[in-house]
Amino acid sequence: MKELDYYQFFFTPIDILSTLILLSAVVIWAHLKSNSITGPGEARIYRWNVFHKLFFSFVFAVYYIAVFKGGDTYSYWQAMDALENLMFYNFGDFWEVITNEPTMERLHGYFSYRTGYPPRFIYIEEESFFVAKVILIFRLITFDSYLATTFILAFIMANASWKIYVLARETGIFRRELLIMFVLFLPSVAFWSSGISKDTIVYISIMNMIYYLNRLLRSPFKLKSWLMLVLFTFLIYNTRPFILYAMLIPLVLMYAVGLINKIKDFALLRIATKGLVVLAVIGLGIYVFNSNLEEMLLSNHSLEEAITAQQDFQHNTETYGGDDGKRYSLGDVDFTSISGLVKAVPASIVAGLYRPFLWEAVSPSLIFNGVESMVLIFMTLWFFISKPLLRIEAISRHELLMFSVGFVLIIAFMAGFTSILFGVLVRIRAPLLPFLGLLLSIDWKLYLEKRATTVIT
């Protein structure tokens, strides 16, 4: 990649003006919104949540431009530049490009020296090019300002995090300081999920999807919630479809708990519903095992892709670098049998939850993850030392927590199994960290108080 022209990238008069106007608008908007937030100190927490995301989005932008000389975030920007030029040069061709899947014929047939060409690896990967098309909307709003676009995404991400915080706060069973730290102020999440990247779109979509699903469990006829749910489901499906598949089982668990909680005043119906859920799970298990589990899993396209990615990251040192400090190993994995894959599950989940360990976080971009991993390990141990049965009972009775358990374990396995590179791992697993934090923030004393005032049969 040619040397970046930093003046053209950051410091043109229009860039500076657009960034200052946008940043002022975000601060004013955050202040106005915070005025409507009730609760002791909640307005101040919301504002600091926004400032926190803005700061780390700026760090992300500068780090990638200065250290990586652009990296994939610059490649997304180049792709948007070509799309924008094509839009003003020939809108018909632009519409053809954004409404159809990327092909080499369209790349060479519609783009030219007049428009510039999107980086091939961004264009040809349908999910990455979709991200460029989505963020193009914000680029147009900011008059092509990279930093202003970054700050818009950071503000949207801050509000997505706040929605999950509001959902969790409403349950009344979390230690407030831990809830605030894990959901709103994890540095690694803010760093990896608030800039111009695929990870930001994924994070925003997951948080909003869970928020509006919870709202629909309480008020199933709200049109806005349905529209928002469809929008963010569409974004996830077109950005990282495996995340959507991974959310299916946790969402079923969340819906089942929500349904059971709705009928808490009818003991017999509640017991019958629990029984049906258990029977459904057992029946599904029997069906799966009777359907030749090994053949089904080993022929599954998604699993095949995961295995290919795992082996590529593990062995392709020419492309991904040979520095062992930047990668990890799950040991010898037998990809030809179910027993071999099952043996890799514990190591994959541990990697997805807790790695890189502090001594493995050898680069500036990983240091936040290393420190957080030590905190998460300590908090996990405390979870199983201090009244674990009460905490597990609390999880089983709250739909958001039931979703969190399933989502954390599945995404941790998928991230840990496929990533192998720490740089890939920390980006894929970022969305699970707030939900892991929810599980670790349960205050059993508050739960007991809540249970004492609620009739649960």
Side-chain angles (χ1 to χ4, degrees):
M1 180 180 292
K2 65 180 181 180
E3 191 71 21
L4 292 179
D5 183 344
Y6 290 97
Y7 174 80
Q8 181 182 5
F9 208 67
F10 278 122
F11 301 119
T12 64
I14 191 67
D15 286 333
I16 296 173
L17 181 62
S18 179
T19 299
L20 291 176
I21 292 174
L22 189 282
L23 192 58
S24 300
V26 165
V27 171
I28 293 172
W29 192 348
H31 181 75
L32 292 176
K33 182 172 180 178
S34 68
N35 289 337
S36 64
I37 297 174
T38 59
E42 295 295 289
R44 181 173 57 85
I45 292 170
Y46 171 79
R47 291 192 296 270
W48 278 108
N49 164 54
V50 172
F51 299 151
H52 177 260
K53 303 305 186 296
L54 291 174
F55 171 76
F56 276 100
S57 69
F58 178 77
V59 172
F60 176 86
V62 172
Y63 184 80
Y64 260 73
I65 297 303
V67 177
F68 290 115
K69 306 303 179 185
D72 55 359
T73 185
Y74 179 60
S75 298
Y76 283 122
W77 196 251
Q78 287 181 302
M80 286 181 265
D81 186 58
L83 280 172
E84 183 180 355
N85 292 336
L86 181 62
M87 180 179 67
F88 289 113
Y89 179 71
N90 189 322
F91 188 82
D93 289 350
F94 168 78
W95 188 255
E96 179 75 14
V97 167
I98 67 169
T99 56
N100 291 279
E101 64 181 21
T103 64
M104 296 306 295
E105 289 78 12
R106 291 192 178 93
L107 175 63
H108 296 292
Y110 293 115
F111 295 96
S112 67
Y113 72 92
R114 294 185 182 90
T115 64
Y117 292 88
R120 183 171 297 186
F121 80 95
I122 293 289
Y123 175 80
I124 210 62
E125 186 188 50
E126 194 168 352
E127 292 84 1
S128 294
F129 195 55
F130 176 80
V131 170
K133 290 186 285 187
V134 170
I135 302 179
L136 175 63
I137 299 170
F138 304 111
R139 173 177 170 137
L140 293 171
I141 293 173
T142 63
F143 302 101
D144 300 339
S145 172
Y146 179 82
L147 283 179
T149 302
T150 296
F151 289 148
I152 285 183
L153 291 171
F155 181 63
I156 297 173
M157 186 269 196
N159 282 278
S161 297
W162 182 258
K163 288 175 180 176
I164 298 301
Y165 171 75
V166 169
L167 280 181
R169 184 189 60 191
E170 290 173 352
T171 66
I173 64 169
F174 298 103
R175 289 188 61 181
R176 187 168 181 261
E177 62 274 17
L178 292 179
L179 180 64
I180 292 170
M181 177 183 72
F182 282 123
V183 178
L184 300 179
F185 292 107
L186 281 179
S188 70
V189 174
F191 180 81
W192 292 113
S193 303
S194 62
I196 295 176
S197 72
K198 182 186 297 185
D199 307 285
T200 301
I201 302 299
V202 170
Y203 186 90
I204 290 170
S205 300
I206 291 173
M207 299 297 126
N208 278 284
M209 187 177 175
I210 300 309
Y211 176 80
Y212 286 110
L213 271 171
N214 271 269
R215 288 302 183 224
L216 286 171
L217 283 174
R218 304 174 191 183
S219 303
F221 302 109
K222 278 196 170 184
L223 179 60
K224 177 185 176 182
S225 295
W226 280 109
L227 292 176
M228 291 295 102
L229 179 61
V230 170
L231 170 63
F232 291 111
T233 301
F234 173 76
L235 289 176
I236 295 177
Y237 179 77
N238 285 280
T239 306
R240 280 209 178 112
F242 74 86
I243 293 283
L244 193 60
Y245 302 142
M247 293 174 70
L248 289 178
I249 293 178
L251 289 176
V252 169
L253 292 173
M254 184 176 75
Y255 180 79
V257 173
L259 182 62
I260 292 171
N261 287 339
K262 281 187 176 181
I263 57 177
K264 60 186 177 183
D265 294 329
F266 301 92
L268 185 60
L269 182 58
R270 181 183 176 87
I271 293 172
T273 303
K274 284 183 177 180
L276 287 174
V277 172
V278 172
L279 288 175
V281 172
I282 294 174
L284 180 62
I286 293 174
Y287 172 78
V288 169
F289 279 100
N290 286 339
S291 301
N292 195 342
L293 179 64
E294 184 161 344
E295 180 180 350
M296 181 182 70
L297 284 178
L298 293 179
S299 63
N300 182 268
H301 181 64
S302 297
L303 183 62
E304 182 182 349
E305 288 185 345
I307 291 173
T308 302
Q310 201 264 10
Q311 292 177 319
D312 188 36
F313 285 141
Q314 180 72 35
H315 301 296
N316 194 347
T317 57
E318 181 177 350
T319 301
Y320 302 110
D323 185 357
D324 291 336
K326 296 180 181 179
R327 65 182 61 225
Y328 62 93
S329 173
L330 300 176
D332 294 328
V333 179
D334 181 7
F335 296 106
T336 64
S337 69
I338 286 298
S339 60
L341 293 175
V342 169
K343 289 179 181 178
V345 170
S348 299
I349 291 177
V350 169
L353 293 178
Y354 305 117
R355 298 184 75 172
F357 301 127
L358 187 58
W359 55 89
E360 295 172 326
V362 293
S363 68
S365 61
L366 296 178
I367 190 63
F368 294 126
N369 295 92
V371 174
E372 289 170 7
S373 292
M374 300 305 294
V375 174
L376 290 171
I377 291 172
F378 172 78
M379 293 299 299
T380 302
L381 293 174
W382 184 251
F383 179 97
F384 290 104
I385 292 173
S386 178
K387 304 291 183 180
L389 295 180
L390 278 176
R391 296 173 190 267
I392 292 171
E393 180 184 310
I395 292 171
S396 69
R397 296 186 177 185
H398 290 83
E399 52 262 38
L400 181 59
L401 292 176
M402 281 301 294
F403 170 83
S404 298
V405 169
F407 184 71
V408 164
L409 292 177
I410 293 174
I411 297 299
F413 167 71
M414 297 177 74
F417 182 77
T418 61
S419 299
I420 300 304
L421 300 175
F422 285 128
V424 176
L425 173 67
V426 296
R427 300 174 75 150
I428 294 179
R429 69 100 175 261
L432 74 79
L433 292 179
F435 296 101
L436 175 59
L438 289 180
L439 299 172
L440 300 179
S441 301
I442 298 171
D443 189 320
W444 61 268
K445 294 180 181 178
L446 291 176
Y447 170 68
L448 282 180
E449 294 175 6
K450 192 82 171 179
R451 189 178 69 175
T453 59
T454 306
V455 179
I456 300 179
T457 304

